Amino acid sequence: MSALQQREQWGSKIGFILAAMGSAVGLGNIWRFSYVTGESGGAAFLLIYLACIIAIGIPILMAEFSIGRRAQSDVVGSFETIAPGKPWVLAGFLGVASAFIILSFYGVVAGWSLHYFTQYFTGGPAIGDAGGYGDYFGGFITSPVQPLFWQFLFMALTVGIVYGGVKKGIEMWNKILMPGLALLVIGLAGYSLTLGGAGEAITFLFAPDWSAFGDPEVYLAALGQAFFSLSLGMGALITYGSYLSKEEKLPGAAVSVATLDTLFAIIAGLMIFPAVFAFGISPDSGPGLVFITLPEIFAEMTGGMIFGFLFFFLLSAAAITSGVSLLEVAVAYFMRRFSWSRKKAAVIIGGIIFVLGVPSSLGNGVLSHVTIGGLEILDAADFLASNIFLPLGGLMIALFVGWGWQKSDALKESDFGDTVFGNLWVFILRFVAPILILIVFLNAIGLF
Ligand code: PHE
């Protein structure tokens, strides 16, 4: 793309907010939130997660929007434009690397969702007489070829949308599909709460086991989940902010995105956990949790097949709008850096990311003997990107806006101006967020 060519822009203000929401709401809210909450013991994790969203997440979200809109460039280009010749650009490269890693395993799980969607098209997963949904899920993810097919399909759809360009491809989808998913998740949560596990689920989610606050891993898991769920720390929101013209008021947008994303996660928890307890599934079943629990709910409901079909359709769509934002980070960078066309960048990078994801898929089956730090390949990729790269990227972004930018510029570019909230925001970016992230890191490696 020549420098003279106009950069793409969102078609409307609401288009930007919806796209940012589409990026945030995805498998992170339903699949990842529920299994990580289940593994981390429930309420204590949830409280720390909420604290991370408020004290670290929203301020960094604002930082990303402000950087992107000011610089009008991709993640790497944004740091180069605002602070030429400074090391901040490392945050940009880290972001591109995170996009590759996250989308590689995200595509695998999104592929599972697509597979379940098509199963409900034809009457639901066929579990046979003896087996249950756990066996079905296990059989599916361990098979060598099938999950790869669905992962490929997901990546092809994601590439197709990015190929079509930011506005046409990304904006439109979010307008229809997100409200649909929200309604369905609320409805299913209502139903799930009638299944007999409601009391246990509420205790699990909202009555903290105080001893869990002493476990450093719960803090790291909550921090990683906050970053992952808000699409934070890797420039997805810098990139989306860069397609924004000056009119939008950023603080309102940031708070709306974070609020919606968090509500989605909590309601998803109210959908999953009552059923987990009602059907005697173990909350710490790991990444398969929603794929085992939800089919139980659908099997129980009148018309459950239709709900199953709708649910996995909308979940897959939500995964696509998140996948698109991940791919867009890398595509925007390669387009500018190597003067590739959007189409070429989308196809090449999408292809590379598919191949990178293959080991994550096979790690559930033929490569299950391969573990990294005790984790299967998919979980290890997720851990590295979500719990380490994203918070590290977020740390650099906070420090950049807090210390690398003139305070008056930061206040102006964020639309805060010299107000109480603006000053609080800069204070958080300078001190609170970096210190909290560092403490969580140091604590996790056992320094305290
Ligand atoms: N936030 C997305 C989700 O919850 C995942 C994502 C992470 C998207 C990082 C972009 C960047 O599914």
Side-chain angles (χ1 to χ4, degrees), residues 22-30 102 106 225 227-232 234 236 261 318-319 322-323 325-326 329 390:
S23 168
V25 176
L27 296 172
N29 304 66
I30 294 173
I102 295 179
Y106 202 83
Q225 177 60 22
F227 273 90
F228 187 92
S229 193
L230 294 175
S231 303
L232 225 54
M234 50 155 291
D261 187 70
S322 301
S325 71
L326 285 157
V329 168
L390 296 185

Side-chain angles (χ1 to χ4, degrees), residues 3-29:
L4 292 175
Q5 219 169 322
Q6 270 253 276
R7 261 184 125 249
E8 293 162 81
Q9 294 277 325
W10 301 110
S12 58
K13 288 186 192 184
I14 187 82
F16 160 71
I17 297 196
L18 282 168
M21 287 173 172
S23 168
V25 176
L27 296 172
N29 304 66

Side-chain angles (χ1 to χ4, degrees), residues 24-49:
V25 176
L27 296 172
N29 304 66
I30 294 173
W31 160 72
R32 200 176 189 283
F33 174 79
S34 44
Y35 101 75
V36 177
T37 305
E39 277 183 345
S40 309
F45 167 87
L46 186 57
L47 262 180
I48 302 170
Y49 166 70

Side-chain angles (χ1 to χ4, degrees), residues 49-205:
Y49 166 70
L50 292 176
C52 289
I53 301 257
I54 294 169
I56 303 174
I58 296 178
I60 296 182
L61 219 160
M62 270 302 299
E64 289 207 21
F65 283 170
S66 311
I67 294 172
R69 189 180 60 178
R70 160 70 181 73
Q72 299 283 306
S73 186
D74 55 86
V75 243
V76 174
S78 287
F79 290 101
E80 285 171 347
T81 308
I82 303 180
K86 298 268 171 60
W88 299 112
V89 68
L90 286 175
F93 290 113
L94 187 70
V96 175
S98 303
F100 274 85
I101 304 177
I102 295 179
L103 189 51
S104 76
F105 71 81
Y106 202 83
V108 174
V109 181
W112 300 347
S113 173
L114 279 175
H115 168 79
Y116 272 69
F117 156 58
T118 53
Q119 288 301 298
Y120 278 98
F121 212 64
T122 53
I127 53 173
D129 291 338
Y133 292 107
D135 292 345
Y136 178 85
F137 176 72
F140 168 63
I141 63 163
T142 51
S143 86
V145 187
Q146 265 206 63
L148 290 181
F149 168 78
W150 296 105
Q151 181 203 350
F152 182 83
L153 187 66
F154 172 80
M155 287 304 298
L157 292 167
T158 305
V159 166
I161 294 179
V162 171
Y163 189 99
V166 175
K167 194 161 94 188
K168 263 185 286 155
I170 303 173
E171 220 171 302
M172 197 183 64
W173 277 72
N174 291 306
K175 286 194 190 162
I176 323 162
L177 298 172
M178 281 232 297
L181 184 64
L183 282 181
L184 194 63
V185 172
I186 293 172
L188 289 174
Y191 179 79
S192 179
L193 284 164
T194 67
L195 291 173
E200 257 177 295
I202 303 276
T203 310
F204 182 76
L205 282 174

